[in-house]
Amino acid sequence: MKEYIKNKKDLSHKIKAIYMWWHKPAVDSEFLQSLPNLKVITSSGVGVDHLDLKLISSFGVKVANTPHAVSNPTADMGMALLLASARRIVEGCEIAVSSDTKYFEADWLGEEVTGATLGIIGMGSIGYKVAQRAKAFDMKILYHNRNQRKQEEEQAVGAIYCKKMDDLLQQSDFVMLIVSLTPETHKLIGKRELELMKPTATLINICRGPVVDQDALVHALQNGVIKAAAVDVTYPEPLPRDHPLLKLKNIIITPHIGSATSKSRWVMMENMVENILSGVNGLPLPNEVHP
Amino acid sequence: MALCGLKACPFFPTKKMEQPELPGLLVNEVGRAYGVLEAHVDFLKKHFHLITMKEFLENKTYFSRKIKAIYLWWHRPVVDRELLQNLPNLKVIANSGVGMDNLDLKLVSGFGVKMANSPHAVSSSTADTGMTLLLASARRIVEASQIAVSPDIECFPGNWMGEEVTGATLGIIGMGNIGYKVALRANAFEMKILYHNRKEEEQAVGAIYCKKIENLLQQSDFVMLVVSLTPETHKLIGKRELELMKPTATLINICRGRIVDQDALVEALQTGVIKAAALDVTYPEPLPRDHPLLKLNNVIITPHLGIKTHKTTRMITEEAVANILAALNGLPMCSEVFPN
């Protein structure tokens, strides 16, 4: 971008593709207008909520994401947050190294994961992989999705469909959010939904911050409406340093590292290159995203 | 009212029949570091007359004959010859958890006292702990959560990455109940699973037996220790074993601190012989506050929380009570442990 901005005249006609890594460079109407030969934009990760798909399409530019590269590490991250929260790992590590620690309290306990109920909201590829992992912990799995999955798929992981999200919220010990951010899922989890959850339940968010009404979450955590939360995503990222979520003891926040493994980043890069080469050569894109 | 004017006289029972006396159960204390949990006291008192070590020591003459059982929590009270000699009616010692390395089994057995542990109660939550440490270490959860709340952060570091767990190779050393449950969980993460055990086990979990521990150490991305502490397993993992591991590998210990040569581990972590470690157990516990392990960036230490959930601790106490009641009623115990 630095080189491009310095030398727009020479470079603007040469640019055929944009490699968007972590939503940058941002793409707006003005930028698109200045790139007459742009054919394809590939965006790292699976979320495309940062892109105005209609606008880009109106310029005849195709868009691709990397859905498969992220599903394993993101599912792993969902389980990592669930376990870390339930077993109080972050707190535990602090106790283990604290200069004040003289002995380990016998009464310091976490929540059992084996046999607990996990409610998965969003049973796409990532949600399904979470279900596969949770099954091995003998968890009871409920799920809510726009559409019910096929019976064989449900049976393979022992997942029970909750047509009404409220049923899932009322029964789950752990609620995990794995939906794409769309106008329909914006603030999907608000005051009402948090109040439907058990007071002993934990909310885990590994998709997008705006899927949760963050102010309602602060209130719920401060008042014991729910027990705890573990979020890899917030809005904005990072949160302002004086945000109330940073001060709460019953939340784990991680800096959007759901797909942050060297292996998946490599695969992402390969996918993006593949999509770019297809786009530039007029071939169908393996991972095209349509508006 | 008894003849002597006392409301209740021990020599002349009142007309209202007293409850039959419950057997005396010796425990270390209630709460704090080594005491039975507050939440379990009511349940214990349903079946036993609960006597703490403090009460016993203050009134040995009165209590010594009443104590029929001991319930050990976190290896306390310490059972030595002197204590055993002072408890002539002791029939059974129930140990919380599965490890029995804190008891001199031959000594106890020599006094005609039976022993039991609680293997069924602990396996799931300990296996969960193993996976928790593996994931937390691989994905750098503790570090990450500190970054997320650090006052210095303006944006999240772009190049910050962890290790992929899906598809990685897990080497399990010790394929007992707990090791097997770890394997079941790891399987769901599509991990390749190697295991080393005293003997090969029939498996439905697709784990590959490594007769030689060296083969497991050389191939694993994550090495998890799930053995009991015995003279054979003491310092099982030392300098040689750490050097056989990949420099990109992580060591996870959820069994006993002494299975690892701790000094060798410090050196290995400091010099990049292995990449990282995640330890739920050390020796001693807690480590002295100036111990080098506490200063390293590439180790996670947790405060022996392997079985520390509300559900599992409750199940341990229930299993212990069942074993004790069986022994006191002359019935076989589910989880009797014999000296061997």
Side-chain angles (χ1 to χ4, degrees), chain B residues 142-163:
Chain B
V142 179
E143 235 183 295
S145 63
Q146 287 161 353
I147 289 172
V149 304
S150 161
D152 304 326
I153 287 287
E154 282 170 11
C155 65
F156 290 150
N159 226 14
W160 195 97
M161 291 182 291
E163 289 307 316

Side-chain angles (χ1 to χ4, degrees), chain A residues 21-33:
Chain A
W21 193 259
W22 245 248
H23 309 184
K24 304 273 203 318
V27 164
D28 59 14
S29 192
E30 190 192 329
F31 191 36
L32 289 165
Q33 276 166 2

Side-chain angles (χ1 to χ4, degrees), chain B residues 229-241:
Chain B
L229 179 61
T230 64
E232 291 75 39
T233 61
H234 182 252
K235 288 196 178 170
L236 179 67
I237 303 295
K239 184 177 196 293
R240 181 183 162 273
E241 290 70 30

Side-chain angles (χ1 to χ4, degrees), chain B residues 22-328:
Chain B
L22 294 173
L25 178 69
L26 179 65
V27 297
N28 194 50
E29 57 183 340
V30 175
R32 286 171 47 88
Y34 306 109
V36 293
L37 302 188
E38 279 279 359
H40 299 180
V41 166
D42 287 348
F43 173 64
L44 290 169
K45 281 184 172 173
K46 273 203 186 101
H47 301 280
F48 306 105
H49 172 192
L50 211 59
I51 302 160
T52 64
M53 272 303 280
K54 185 162 182 267
E55 288 170 319
F56 168 67
L57 292 170
E58 279 172 1
N59 200 346
K60 273 190 192 173
T61 334
Y62 180 68
F63 286 118
S64 67
R65 301 204 83 85
K66 288 186 183 281
I67 290 168
K68 302 239 167 78
I70 304 179
Y71 181 29
L72 298 179
W73 193 262
W74 277 149
H75 307 181
R76 302 281 208 282
V78 173
V79 173
D80 55 15
R81 184 176 290 280
E82 193 191 331
L83 182 66
L84 291 164
Q85 281 168 344
N86 276 311
L87 301 175
N89 292 327
L90 181 66
K91 301 252 175 309
V92 57
I93 298 175
N95 195 18
S96 60
V98 63
M100 296 295 273
D101 46 283
N102 53 306
L103 279 175
D104 184 336
L105 304 180
K106 285 209 169 89
L107 174 71
V108 171
S109 183
F111 278 82
V113 175
K114 293 186 175 206
M115 292 166 288
N117 60 357
S118 48
H120 306 106
V122 305
S123 40
S124 294
S125 64
T126 313
D128 289 354
T129 302
M131 290 306 296
T132 305
L133 285 178
L134 188 157
L135 285 159
S137 181
R139 303 303 297 271
R140 301 169 67 185
I141 298 287
V142 179
E143 235 183 295
S145 63
Q146 287 161 353
I147 289 172
V149 304
S150 161
D152 304 326
I153 287 287
E154 282 170 11
C155 65
F156 290 150
N159 226 14
W160 195 97
M161 291 182 291
E163 289 307 316
E164 188 104 349
V165 169
T166 295
T169 301
L170 170 63
I172 301 175
I173 298 179
M175 195 59 125
N177 289 330
I178 303 173
Y180 183 68
K181 288 194 174 189
V182 170
L184 286 173
R185 284 148 179 72
N187 208 27
F189 289 78
E190 295 169 53
M191 297 187 87
K192 178 178 173 187
I193 306 167
L194 310 173
Y195 77 99
H196 175 73
N197 206 35
R198 276 172 297 193
K199 55 179 168 61
E200 192 165 357
E201 301 282 344
E202 282 294 320
Q203 297 296 346
V205 81
I208 300 162
Y209 182 55
C210 289
K211 193 165 180 183
K212 287 192 191 171
I213 199 178
E214 291 82 1
N215 292 338
L216 180 151
L217 294 169
Q218 284 165 329
Q219 298 178 66
S220 300
D221 300 307
F222 300 91
V223 174
M224 197 180 300
L225 306 176
V226 202
V227 290
S228 351
L229 179 61
T230 64
E232 291 75 39
T233 61
H234 182 252
K235 288 196 178 170
L236 179 67
I237 303 295
K239 184 177 196 293
R240 181 183 162 273
E241 290 70 30
L242 292 162
E243 282 171 359
L244 282 168
M245 284 171 66
K246 294 184 185 183
T248 51
T250 299
L251 180 71
I252 301 151
N253 190 359
I254 54 167
C255 49
R256 285 290 182 267
R258 289 181 200 278
I259 300 210
V260 177
D261 176 341
Q262 224 157 244
D263 294 334
L265 178 62
V266 170
E267 184 169 349
L269 289 167
Q270 283 171 337
T271 54
V273 167
I274 64 170
K275 179 168 185 260
L279 314 171
D280 189 40
V281 288
T282 59
Y283 65 93
E285 286 169 12
L287 287 167
R289 301 292 86 189
D290 58 357
H291 196 281
L293 277 175
L294 300 187
K295 301 180 180 49
L296 294 172
N297 283 333
N298 53 349
V299 66
I300 307 178
I301 306 174
T302 47
H304 203 152
L305 47 77
I307 51 93
K308 281 172 130 170
T309 67
H310 298 281
K311 184 174 175 185
T312 292
T313 49
R314 180 67 188 213
M315 279 165 36
I316 289 172
T317 292
E318 287 176 354
E319 195 170 349
V321 167
N323 280 310
I324 293 171
L325 292 175
L328 295 182

